Amino acid sequence: MHKPAKVTIEDVAAAAGVSRQTVSRVINNGPNVKPAVRQRVEAMVEQLGYVPNLSARRMGGARSYLILSINDRARTFENWTSGRGNDWVDQMLYGGMSECERHNYHMVLELIDTDAGTTIPQIARAVGSLRPDGVILTPPHCDNLELVAWLERQGIPCARVGHYEGGNFVDVFMDDEGAMREVTRHLLDLGHRSIGFLAGPLNYGPSQKRRKAFREALAEAGIPPEAGPIGAGNFYFDMAVSVLETMLAAPSPPTAIIADNDKMAFAALHVAADRGLKVPDDLSVISFEDTPGVRFSVPPLTAIRQPTAAMVGKACAQLIALSKGEEGMGAFELPYEFVVRATTKAPRG
Amino acid sequence: MHKPAKVTIEDVAAAAGVSRQTVSRVINNGPNVKPAVRQRVEAMVEQLGYVPNLSARRMGGARSYLILSINDRARTFENWTSGRGNDWVDQMLYGGMSECERHNYHMVLELIDTDAGTTIPQIARAVGSLRPDGVILTPPHCDNLELVAWLERQGIPCARVGHYEGGNFVDVFMDDEGAMREVTRHLLDLGHRSIGFLAGPLNYGPSQKRRKAFREALAEAGIPPEAGPIGAGNFYFDMAVSVLETMLAAPSPPTAIIADNDKMAFAALHVAADRGLKVPDDLSVISFEDTPGVRFSVPPLTAIRQPTAAMVGKACAQLIALSKGEEGMGAFELPYEFVVRATTKAPRG
DNA sequence: CTGAAAGCGCTTACAG
DNA sequence: CTGAAAGCGCTTACAG
């Protein structure tokens, strides 16, 4: 059976002996089609192998069936080229594509620079050419006020991953403060009385929340601020190393380190080895990320597993609902996991 | 400056005082536009922030500026859910998106099942709705004759990653025979006189080539076939373990193992440890894949690094050229890398 | 419940 | 070198 290269709605209409609006109603599950007619049309769609052309639907005024997912360009490329894997993107695609599949949507990933002057023009290009039904913003783009305002002006529904505000957005996030409290308490319960936090950059929303929760948890336990140093990291290995060196050179250095991401946790492992500190015997380490490398590191890291796939999946679901004219805006919290592996233990002595 | 939500070609034409065809010519770099007019139009495009609507361009008869990239659905999901990372997909996105970016193209990834009955309908849906300018097929889809024939009938340019034939396709691949020769010689040069090859399945094209090259390289060095055992693996850990057990139980067992992929190389490390063999002192191991896990394994594996990103990038480049009406079909070999790390050494004695 | 009309924003021949 | 016309394949009001 050699099907013609391009079957259009007109072909189906002719084959079924109806007008093209009727076919349109059938494929869009519209009302007002006699069951017998609907069946006849469906049979023809099947037989001719008709698939509606997305561009034409779009031009006709329908939705685009496209979700545009925006990631930090430089960081994503960096992860890819370093060959260290890119679990965040993997999980994002996993969650997003699974959800999009279910609704016959397509997810397109675009990498956008974070420089002040280029972000908006780049997104404008992507949005203008693709005209997606919704845009998913991940850190740090989701915290870019100017960008978010621009998107709002364009009237494009926007989901933010790792942002809490809600309002006229689809915000999906995990309880960063709760996670930090849980992690800090875990260390306190083990007996640690001096804990260092290797924090991420200040413009990362979640990092801010974690800083706050970290301070609070220590304060509640009666630990003085000096015994809870916060090192300002940038999520990269090298800087984390030097910050750690300083932290550990203090008169009464921390016996445990909480790292805001994996690379910095690895840095902690590295620095510990350099100084002859055994992990977890001499130094406990916890990561706030849980990529494959972490699970297979030696020793395997105790870590917070972020619900990346679930967050992005939820973002897609809400954006798709919105595009159908349903309700969808709001703030949605997804559960994280705290995975205790082999890098935390009671301090010596 | 509050720009209108949707600037069309008509707005630009009006602002520049020309017809919309002239604007069309300018944005498509067409000929026959007076320089002064071109400049005026470009200025207006810039000022109004005009971005052509892809759907409209498509409907007008232009290309879609979309490359559809097809991956094995089950395997991709498996890798994502197992949390082991998915370096292949990462590298594919890296190579593909980098190239697409340069041409203002968008890459859309779709996961398609490999079951005989569902592959074509699924692809038909994706292709029919997206109407991409080209499709990239990765293993095992690239070896699906029925699928490839279907795509050819649809007249959609198709690139195959890891396929050698060329012809009416864009085939991108690496020199598997050369890589195997290099790897084998590396071991021979170190003094190994008995080498085992843990091969992939017979229906996997590249594995076939590697088997052949392996046999030839040994023959050239005057190594008898008994000292170059080939174990038939299936790319998975468990089977590799049992094949290796047998290999190493031989009267004069190999002092080096070449594994056709990472999982089997890990199996070699595992079996060696079980038998009290130190790597590389008692057993050298080389992998024919180089995912992040390999690089960070203990000890780090000596491996062939496949040019995944480069292959996919090249595939995109050719597909894009084709869509512009340029030549593009053919077979393209991309260079692999042989990365010597810590698992190869001269044999004992 | 169904169809004839208009239009989405472009591009491609075709005229001039 | 430039523009008026037709059309891509749909959908959305609108009419019946």
Side-chain angles (χ1 to χ4, degrees):
Chain A
M1 182 173 56
H2 189 145
K3 291 164 194 163
K6 296 180 176 203
V7 181
T8 73
I9 197 172
E10 214 65 63
D11 299 322
V12 177
V18 296
S19 69
R20 66 178 174 318
Q21 300 85 299
T22 298
V23 177
S24 178
R25 281 184 193 103
V26 172
I27 61 180
N28 291 300
N29 278 312
N32 298 333
V33 182
K34 221 186 297 185
V37 174
R38 184 181 294 274
Q39 243 173 17
R40 192 146 38 94
V41 171
E42 279 167 351
M44 283 304 122
V45 165
E46 176 67 26
Q47 190 184 313
L48 299 174
Y50 170 65
V51 177
N53 179 325
L54 228 50
S55 294
R57 289 180 106 164
R58 186 47 168 170
M59 290 311 293
R63 2 180 202 144
S64 69
Y65 292 87
L66 254 34
I67 297 291
L68 181 61
S69 186
I70 305 292
N71 255 34
D72 180 340
R73 186 167 181 279
R75 194 155 51 98
T76 303
F77 274 134
E78 220 267 1
N79 284 337
W80 280 337
T81 51
S82 73
R84 301 214 151 196
N86 204 335
D87 193 57
W88 164 268
V89 172
D90 289 350
Q91 294 306 313
M92 158 163 212
L93 288 173
Y94 175 41
M97 288 182 67
S98 304
E99 190 62 24
C100 284
E101 257 190 11
R102 299 180 47 219
H103 303 274
N104 267 310
Y105 266 66
H106 303 275
M107 165 164 251
V108 7
L109 173 64
E110 288 290 312
L111 303 180
I112 304 286
D113 284 316
T114 56
D115 319 81
T118 58
T119 302
I120 300 217
Q122 281 181 22
I123 295 222
R125 259 204 105 43
V127 164
S129 58
L130 259 9
R131 307 280 162 139
D133 290 335
V135 173
I136 297 180
L137 256 30
T138 59
H141 291 305
C142 59
D143 298 312
N144 180 335
L145 263 28
E146 198 197 349
L147 171 57
V148 165
W150 183 87
L151 249 9
E152 217 173 355
R153 272 207 307 282
Q154 304 293 308
I156 298 173
C158 174
R160 297 180 293 191
V161 177
H163 203 102
Y164 289 70
E165 290 176 68
N168 204 26
F169 296 92
V170 175
D171 280 351
V172 291
F173 53 87
M174 66 171 232
D175 180 7
D176 281 287
E177 298 188 24
M180 177 54 94
R181 268 196 303 276
E182 185 168 347
V183 152
T184 309
R185 282 201 196 122
H186 170 72
L187 292 170
L188 291 168
D189 289 349
L190 284 172
H192 292 275
R193 285 297 168 269
S194 179
I195 303 171
F197 176 36
L198 207 42
L202 282 165
N203 69 342
Y204 261 69
S207 283
Q208 294 266 41
K209 301 212 176 282
R210 294 173 200 164
R211 280 166 194 258
K212 177 165 165 283
F214 176 68
R215 284 217 187 80
E216 287 171 1
L218 290 186
E220 273 170 32
I223 307 285
E226 316 86 75
I230 297 184
N234 59 355
F235 280 148
Y236 290 107
F237 188 94
D238 291 339
M239 182 163 179
V241 167
S242 66
V243 170
L244 272 158
E245 299 279 15
T246 311
M247 231 181 232
L248 294 175
S252 40
T255 55
I257 297 290
I258 300 170
D260 220 353
N261 79 335
D262 284 347
K263 282 184 183 136
M264 299 198 291
F266 280 127
L269 257 27
H270 178 84
V271 169
D274 267 11
R275 302 182 143 248
L277 297 174
K278 271 200 78 178
V279 173
D281 307 78
D282 302 309
L283 188 71
S284 285
V285 178
I286 295 183
S287 180
F288 238 85
E289 198 184 9
D290 189 57
T291 56
V294 163
R295 280 160 250 169
F296 301 111
S297 69
V298 184
L301 275 165
T302 289
I304 289 288
R305 184 181 300 201
Q306 301 181 33
T308 307
M311 291 191 293
V312 176
K314 181 65 177 171
C316 287
Q318 296 308 111
L319 252 16
I320 291 170
L322 244 14
S323 79
K324 291 187 201 167
E326 301 166 8
E327 290 298 305
M329 297 301 188
F332 305 91
E333 181 182 313
L334 282 299
Y336 64 88
E337 262 182 276
F338 179 36
V339 189
V340 178
R341 294 203 188 84
T343 54
T344 47
K345 193 177 175 181
R348 269 206 169 123
Chain B
M1 182 173 54
H2 188 145
K3 291 165 194 162
K6 295 180 177 205
V7 182
T8 72
I9 196 172
E10 214 67 62
D11 299 323
V12 178
V18 296
S19 70
R20 65 180 175 315
Q21 300 83 299
T22 298
V23 177
S24 179
R25 281 185 193 103
V26 172
I27 60 180
N28 291 299
N29 278 312
N32 299 332
V33 182
K34 221 187 298 186
V37 174
R38 185 181 295 273
Q39 242 172 19
R40 191 146 40 93
V41 171
E42 277 165 352
M44 283 303 124
V45 165
E46 176 66 26
Q47 189 184 313
L48 298 173
Y50 169 65
V51 177
N53 179 326
L54 228 51
S55 293
R57 289 180 107 163
R58 186 50 169 168
M59 290 313 292
R63 358 178 207 149
S64 68
Y65 292 86
L66 254 33
I67 297 290
L68 180 61
S69 184
I70 304 291
N71 254 32
D72 179 342
R73 186 167 181 278
R75 195 154 50 95
T76 304
F77 273 134
E78 220 263 7
N79 284 336
W80 279 337
T81 52
S82 74
R84 299 217 151 195
N86 205 336
D87 192 57
W88 164 268
V89 172
D90 288 349
Q91 294 307 312
M92 158 164 209
L93 287 173
Y94 174 41
M97 289 181 66
S98 305
E99 189 63 24
C100 283
E101 256 189 12
R102 299 180 45 220
H103 303 274
N104 267 311
Y105 264 67
H106 303 276
M107 166 165 250
V108 6
L109 173 63
E110 287 290 311
L111 302 180
I112 303 287
D113 284 317
T114 55
D115 319 81
T118 59
T119 302
I120 300 216
Q122 281 182 22
I123 295 221
R125 259 205 105 44
V127 164
S129 58
L130 259 9
R131 306 282 162 137
D133 289 336
V135 173
I136 297 180
L137 258 28
T138 59
H141 291 305
C142 60
D143 298 313
N144 180 336
L145 263 29
E146 200 198 347
L147 170 58
V148 165
W150 183 86
L151 248 11
E152 218 175 352
R153 272 208 306 281
Q154 305 293 309
I156 298 173
C158 174
R160 298 180 294 191
V161 177
H163 204 102
Y164 287 69
E165 288 176 68
N168 203 26
F169 297 91
V170 175
D171 282 350
V172 290
F173 53 87
M174 66 171 233
D175 180 9
D176 282 286
E177 298 188 25
M180 177 53 93
R181 267 196 302 276
E182 184 167 348
V183 152
T184 308
R185 282 200 195 123
H186 170 72
L187 293 171
L188 291 169
D189 288 349
L190 284 171
H192 292 275
R193 285 297 169 266
S194 180
I195 304 171
F197 175 35
L198 207 42
L202 281 165
N203 67 345
Y204 189 62
S207 282
Q208 294 266 41
K209 301 205 178 286
R210 295 172 201 166
R211 279 167 195 257
K212 178 165 164 284
F214 176 67
R215 284 217 186 79
E216 287 171 1
L218 291 187
E220 272 170 33
I223 307 286
E226 315 87 74
I230 297 183
N234 60 355
F235 280 150
Y236 288 108
F237 188 93
D238 291 340
M239 184 164 178
V241 168
S242 63
V243 170
L244 273 158
E245 299 280 15
T246 311
M247 233 181 232
L248 294 175
S252 41
T255 55
I257 296 291
I258 300 171
D260 219 352
N261 79 335
D262 284 347
K263 282 182 183 137
M264 299 199 291
F266 280 128
L269 257 27
H270 178 84
V271 169
D274 267 12
R275 301 183 143 248
L277 296 174
K278 273 200 76 179
V279 174
D281 308 77
D282 302 309
L283 187 71
S284 286
V285 178
I286 296 183
S287 180
F288 238 86
E289 198 183 11
D290 189 56
T291 56
V294 162
R295 279 159 252 173
F296 300 113
S297 68
V298 183
L301 275 164
T302 289
I304 288 290
R305 185 182 299 203
Q306 300 181 34
T308 306
M311 290 191 294
V312 176
K314 182 64 176 169
C316 287
Q318 296 308 111
L319 253 15
I320 291 170
L322 245 12
S323 79
K324 290 186 201 164
E326 301 166 7
E327 291 297 305
M329 297 300 188
F332 305 91
E333 181 182 312
L334 283 300
Y336 63 86
E337 262 182 275
F338 179 36
V339 189
V340 178
R341 295 204 186 82
T343 54
T344 46
K345 193 178 177 182
R348 268 205 170 124

